[in-house]
Short mmCIF file of all heavy atoms in Angstrom, two decimals:
data_model
loop_
_atom_site.label_atom_id
_atom_site.label_comp_id
_atom_site.label_asym_id
_atom_site.label_seq_id
_atom_site.Cartn_x
_atom_site.Cartn_y
_atom_site.Cartn_z
N THR O 8 0.80 -1.13 0.01
CA THR O 8 0.03 -0.02 -0.08
C THR O 8 0.85 1.19 0.01
O THR O 8 1.78 1.32 0.85
CB THR O 8 -0.92 0.06 1.26
OG1 THR O 8 -1.73 -1.13 1.30
CG2 THR O 8 -1.79 1.23 1.20
N LEU O 9 0.59 2.14 -0.98
CA LEU O 9 1.24 3.44 -1.00
C LEU O 9 0.43 4.38 -0.41
O LEU O 9 -0.78 4.56 -0.85
CB LEU O 9 1.61 3.71 -2.47
CG LEU O 9 2.23 5.07 -2.76
CD1 LEU O 9 3.57 5.30 -2.09
CD2 LEU O 9 2.32 5.30 -4.25
N CYS O 10 0.88 5.11 0.53
CA CYS O 10 0.11 6.17 1.14
C CYS O 10 0.86 7.33 1.66
O CYS O 10 2.08 7.26 1.67
CB CYS O 10 -0.61 5.61 2.41
SG CYS O 10 0.40 4.83 3.60
N GLY O 11 0.18 8.54 1.79
CA GLY O 11 0.82 9.68 2.38
C GLY O 11 1.33 10.69 1.33
O GLY O 11 2.00 11.61 1.63
N ILE O 12 1.00 10.49 0.08
CA ILE O 12 1.47 11.45 -1.07
C ILE O 12 0.43 12.67 -0.93
O ILE O 12 -0.80 12.44 -1.02
CB ILE O 12 1.56 10.84 -2.33
CG1 ILE O 12 2.64 9.79 -2.38
CG2 ILE O 12 1.77 11.88 -3.52
CD1 ILE O 12 2.85 9.06 -3.68
N ILE O 13 0.98 13.85 -0.91
CA ILE O 13 0.13 15.05 -0.82
C ILE O 13 0.12 15.73 -2.19
O ILE O 13 1.18 15.92 -2.83
CB ILE O 13 0.64 16.09 0.17
CG1 ILE O 13 0.78 15.30 1.51
CG2 ILE O 13 -0.18 17.32 0.38
CD1 ILE O 13 -0.39 14.87 2.20
N THR O 14 -1.12 16.02 -2.64
CA THR O 14 -1.18 16.80 -3.96
C THR O 14 -1.86 18.15 -3.61
O THR O 14 -2.26 18.39 -2.48
CB THR O 14 -2.10 16.12 -5.00
OG1 THR O 14 -3.33 15.83 -4.34
CG2 THR O 14 -1.46 14.77 -5.37
N GLN O 15 -1.93 19.04 -4.55
CA GLN O 15 -2.56 20.32 -4.34
C GLN O 15 -3.74 20.50 -5.34
O GLN O 15 -3.52 20.42 -6.49
CB GLN O 15 -1.45 21.41 -4.46
CG GLN O 15 -2.01 22.70 -3.89
CD GLN O 15 -0.84 23.60 -3.62
OE1 GLN O 15 0.37 23.46 -4.03
NE2 GLN O 15 -0.98 24.70 -2.86
N ALA O 16 -4.81 20.79 -4.82
CA ALA O 16 -6.00 21.07 -5.64
C ALA O 16 -5.83 22.43 -6.31
O ALA O 16 -4.94 23.28 -5.90
CB ALA O 16 -7.24 21.00 -4.77
N SER O 17 -6.70 22.62 -7.33
CA SER O 17 -6.63 23.85 -8.02
C SER O 17 -6.97 25.10 -7.16
O SER O 17 -6.49 26.18 -7.44
CB SER O 17 -7.63 23.87 -9.20
OG SER O 17 -8.89 23.63 -8.82
N ASP O 18 -7.67 24.88 -6.05
CA ASP O 18 -7.98 25.98 -5.14
C ASP O 18 -6.94 26.17 -4.17
O ASP O 18 -6.96 27.07 -3.29
CB ASP O 18 -9.32 25.72 -4.43
CG ASP O 18 -9.40 24.54 -3.54
OD1 ASP O 18 -8.37 23.87 -3.40
OD2 ASP O 18 -10.49 24.21 -2.96
N GLY O 19 -5.81 25.50 -4.18
CA GLY O 19 -4.73 25.68 -3.30
C GLY O 19 -4.67 24.67 -2.14
O GLY O 19 -3.63 24.70 -1.32
N ASN O 20 -5.77 24.02 -1.86
CA ASN O 20 -5.78 23.17 -0.68
C ASN O 20 -4.96 21.99 -0.91
O ASN O 20 -4.76 21.41 -2.04
CB ASN O 20 -7.19 22.72 -0.48
CG ASN O 20 -8.08 23.75 0.14
OD1 ASN O 20 -7.60 24.67 0.81
ND2 ASN O 20 -9.48 23.76 -0.25
N ARG O 21 -4.28 21.53 0.20
CA ARG O 21 -3.48 20.23 0.12
C ARG O 21 -4.38 19.02 0.38
O ARG O 21 -5.11 19.14 1.31
CB ARG O 21 -2.34 20.36 1.17
CG ARG O 21 -1.32 21.49 0.85
CD ARG O 21 -0.40 21.84 2.04
NE ARG O 21 0.24 20.60 2.56
CZ ARG O 21 1.30 20.03 2.21
NH1 ARG O 21 1.89 20.63 1.25
NH2 ARG O 21 1.80 19.03 2.81
N ILE O 22 -4.33 18.13 -0.46
CA ILE O 22 -5.05 16.89 -0.37
C ILE O 22 -4.16 15.70 -0.35
O ILE O 22 -3.23 15.52 -1.25
CB ILE O 22 -6.04 16.72 -1.63
CG1 ILE O 22 -6.89 18.03 -1.64
CG2 ILE O 22 -6.82 15.50 -1.59
CD1 ILE O 22 -7.64 18.17 -2.95
N GLU O 23 -4.47 14.75 0.54
CA GLU O 23 -3.66 13.50 0.61
C GLU O 23 -4.32 12.56 -0.34
O GLU O 23 -5.55 12.35 -0.20
CB GLU O 23 -3.59 12.88 2.00
CG GLU O 23 -2.75 11.63 1.97
CD GLU O 23 -2.56 11.17 3.48
OE1 GLU O 23 -2.91 11.91 4.41
OE2 GLU O 23 -2.15 9.97 3.60
N GLN O 24 -3.54 11.95 -1.29
CA GLN O 24 -4.17 10.85 -2.16
C GLN O 24 -4.58 9.78 -1.33
O GLN O 24 -3.95 9.51 -0.27
CB GLN O 24 -3.08 10.54 -3.14
CG GLN O 24 -2.73 11.51 -4.21
CD GLN O 24 -1.72 11.02 -5.18
OE1 GLN O 24 -1.14 9.98 -5.02
NE2 GLN O 24 -1.43 11.86 -6.26
N ALA O 25 -5.61 9.06 -1.80
CA ALA O 25 -6.09 7.89 -1.05
C ALA O 25 -5.08 6.89 -1.18
O ALA O 25 -4.37 6.75 -2.11
CB ALA O 25 -7.43 7.42 -1.72
N PRO O 26 -4.90 6.09 -0.11
CA PRO O 26 -4.03 4.91 -0.12
C PRO O 26 -4.37 3.97 -1.37
O PRO O 26 -5.49 3.88 -1.66
CB PRO O 26 -4.15 4.22 1.14
CG PRO O 26 -4.75 5.22 2.10
CD PRO O 26 -5.56 6.06 1.23
N CYS O 27 -3.24 3.50 -1.93
CA CYS O 27 -3.44 2.79 -3.16
C CYS O 27 -2.72 1.43 -3.00
O CYS O 27 -1.48 1.34 -2.69
CB CYS O 27 -2.96 3.53 -4.28
SG CYS O 27 -3.19 2.81 -5.87
N ASN O 28 -3.41 0.35 -3.24
CA ASN O 28 -2.82 -1.02 -3.24
C ASN O 28 -2.27 -1.40 -4.62
O ASN O 28 -2.93 -1.16 -5.54
CB ASN O 28 -3.86 -2.10 -2.83
CG ASN O 28 -4.28 -1.90 -1.36
OD1 ASN O 28 -3.53 -1.42 -0.52
ND2 ASN O 28 -5.50 -2.24 -1.12
N MET O 29 -1.08 -1.89 -4.71
CA MET O 29 -0.46 -2.22 -5.90
C MET O 29 0.76 -3.16 -5.52
O MET O 29 1.14 -3.29 -4.39
CB MET O 29 0.08 -1.00 -6.66
CG MET O 29 0.99 -0.21 -6.00
SD MET O 29 1.50 1.33 -6.77
CE MET O 29 0.06 2.33 -6.52
N PRO O 30 1.30 -3.80 -6.53
CA PRO O 30 2.54 -4.57 -6.33
C PRO O 30 3.66 -3.65 -5.73
O PRO O 30 3.71 -2.49 -5.99
CB PRO O 30 3.00 -5.08 -7.63
CG PRO O 30 1.63 -5.11 -8.49
CD PRO O 30 0.95 -3.90 -7.94
N LEU O 31 4.48 -4.34 -4.83
CA LEU O 31 5.48 -3.58 -4.08
C LEU O 31 6.42 -2.86 -4.97
O LEU O 31 6.71 -1.68 -4.83
CB LEU O 31 6.37 -4.57 -3.24
CG LEU O 31 7.55 -4.05 -2.56
CD1 LEU O 31 7.19 -2.96 -1.56
CD2 LEU O 31 8.29 -5.11 -1.83
N GLY O 32 6.89 -3.47 -6.11
CA GLY O 32 7.69 -2.78 -7.00
C GLY O 32 7.17 -1.57 -7.63
O GLY O 32 7.82 -0.51 -7.69
N ASP O 33 5.90 -1.67 -8.01
CA ASP O 33 5.22 -0.58 -8.63
C ASP O 33 4.98 0.65 -7.64
O ASP O 33 5.10 1.79 -7.98
CB ASP O 33 3.89 -0.98 -9.13
CG ASP O 33 3.97 -1.92 -10.33
OD1 ASP O 33 5.08 -2.05 -10.87
OD2 ASP O 33 2.95 -2.54 -10.81
N ALA O 34 4.82 0.25 -6.39
CA ALA O 34 4.56 1.28 -5.30
C ALA O 34 5.90 2.04 -5.18
O ALA O 34 5.81 3.20 -4.99
CB ALA O 34 4.17 0.63 -4.08
N ILE O 35 6.98 1.30 -5.15
CA ILE O 35 8.31 2.00 -4.98
C ILE O 35 8.60 2.94 -6.15
O ILE O 35 8.91 4.20 -5.91
CB ILE O 35 9.42 1.02 -4.82
CG1 ILE O 35 9.29 0.28 -3.52
CG2 ILE O 35 10.75 1.67 -4.89
CD1 ILE O 35 10.20 -0.92 -3.29
N LEU O 36 8.28 2.52 -7.36
CA LEU O 36 8.43 3.37 -8.52
C LEU O 36 7.48 4.45 -8.49
O LEU O 36 7.88 5.62 -8.96
CB LEU O 36 8.24 2.53 -9.84
CG LEU O 36 9.38 1.48 -10.11
CD1 LEU O 36 8.98 0.64 -11.27
CD2 LEU O 36 10.66 2.09 -10.23
N GLN O 37 6.24 4.27 -8.03
CA GLN O 37 5.23 5.31 -8.05
C GLN O 37 5.64 6.35 -7.01
O GLN O 37 5.53 7.66 -7.27
CB GLN O 37 3.87 4.71 -7.66
CG GLN O 37 2.82 5.76 -7.70
CD GLN O 37 2.39 6.28 -9.03
OE1 GLN O 37 2.61 5.45 -10.03
NE2 GLN O 37 1.91 7.39 -9.15
N MET O 38 6.19 6.02 -5.85
CA MET O 38 6.69 7.06 -4.97
C MET O 38 7.85 7.86 -5.54
O MET O 38 7.84 9.05 -5.39
CB MET O 38 7.17 6.24 -3.65
CG MET O 38 8.07 7.06 -2.71
SD MET O 38 7.06 7.95 -1.64
CE MET O 38 6.77 6.66 -0.42
N ALA O 39 8.71 7.24 -6.21
CA ALA O 39 9.90 7.95 -6.81
C ALA O 39 9.36 8.87 -7.92
O ALA O 39 9.85 10.02 -8.09
CB ALA O 39 10.95 6.97 -7.46
N ALA O 40 8.38 8.50 -8.68
CA ALA O 40 7.81 9.31 -9.76
C ALA O 40 7.06 10.54 -9.11
O ALA O 40 7.14 11.66 -9.63
CB ALA O 40 6.84 8.53 -10.57
N ALA O 41 6.31 10.24 -8.06
CA ALA O 41 5.62 11.41 -7.40
C ALA O 41 6.68 12.41 -6.80
O ALA O 41 6.48 13.64 -6.88
CB ALA O 41 4.78 10.88 -6.30
N HIS O 42 7.80 11.87 -6.31
CA HIS O 42 8.81 12.76 -5.84
C HIS O 42 9.46 13.58 -6.87
O HIS O 42 9.64 14.85 -6.80
CB HIS O 42 9.88 11.98 -5.16
CG HIS O 42 11.04 12.67 -4.60
ND1 HIS O 42 10.85 13.46 -3.47
CD2 HIS O 42 12.29 12.94 -5.01
CE1 HIS O 42 12.12 14.18 -3.19
NE2 HIS O 42 12.87 13.77 -4.12
N GLU O 43 9.80 12.96 -8.10
CA GLU O 43 10.23 13.70 -9.27
C GLU O 43 9.27 14.69 -9.82
O GLU O 43 9.71 15.71 -10.37
CB GLU O 43 10.67 12.67 -10.31
CG GLU O 43 12.00 11.94 -10.00
CD GLU O 43 12.37 10.89 -11.03
OE1 GLU O 43 11.87 11.07 -12.23
OE2 GLU O 43 13.20 10.09 -10.72
N GLN O 44 7.99 14.46 -9.67
CA GLN O 44 7.00 15.34 -10.16
C GLN O 44 6.76 16.54 -9.22
O GLN O 44 5.95 17.47 -9.56
CB GLN O 44 5.63 14.69 -10.32
CG GLN O 44 5.66 13.70 -11.43
CD GLN O 44 4.37 12.81 -11.36
OE1 GLN O 44 3.47 13.06 -10.68
NE2 GLN O 44 4.45 11.76 -12.21
N GLY O 45 7.46 16.58 -8.13
CA GLY O 45 7.37 17.62 -7.23
C GLY O 45 6.22 17.51 -6.18
O GLY O 45 5.91 18.61 -5.40
N LEU O 46 5.58 16.34 -6.09
CA LEU O 46 4.46 16.22 -5.06
C LEU O 46 5.08 16.08 -3.71
O LEU O 46 6.34 15.70 -3.71
CB LEU O 46 3.74 15.02 -5.38
CG LEU O 46 3.00 15.01 -6.76
CD1 LEU O 46 2.20 13.70 -6.92
CD2 LEU O 46 2.01 16.31 -6.87
#
């Protein structure tokens, strides 16, 4: 489960993405991608 990634809505509010279940390897890559995207 990947959890705790914060995004920002168009109105400026910070929103935590819902926890997401996926294979472990994909979750690690998703975390790295979110970090690179500036989330």
Side-chain angles (χ1 to χ4, degrees):
T8 302
L9 173 61
C10 54
I12 295 177
I13 306 296
T14 59
Q15 195 161 15
S17 58
D18 63 2
N20 290 328
R21 294 167 48 87
I22 302 169
E23 182 174 345
Q24 290 181 354
C27 185
N28 294 326
M29 63 184 74
L31 174 61
D33 292 347
I35 293 168
L36 292 173
Q37 186 68 28
M38 169 85 80
H42 179 73
E43 286 181 16
Q44 293 170 7
L46 299 178

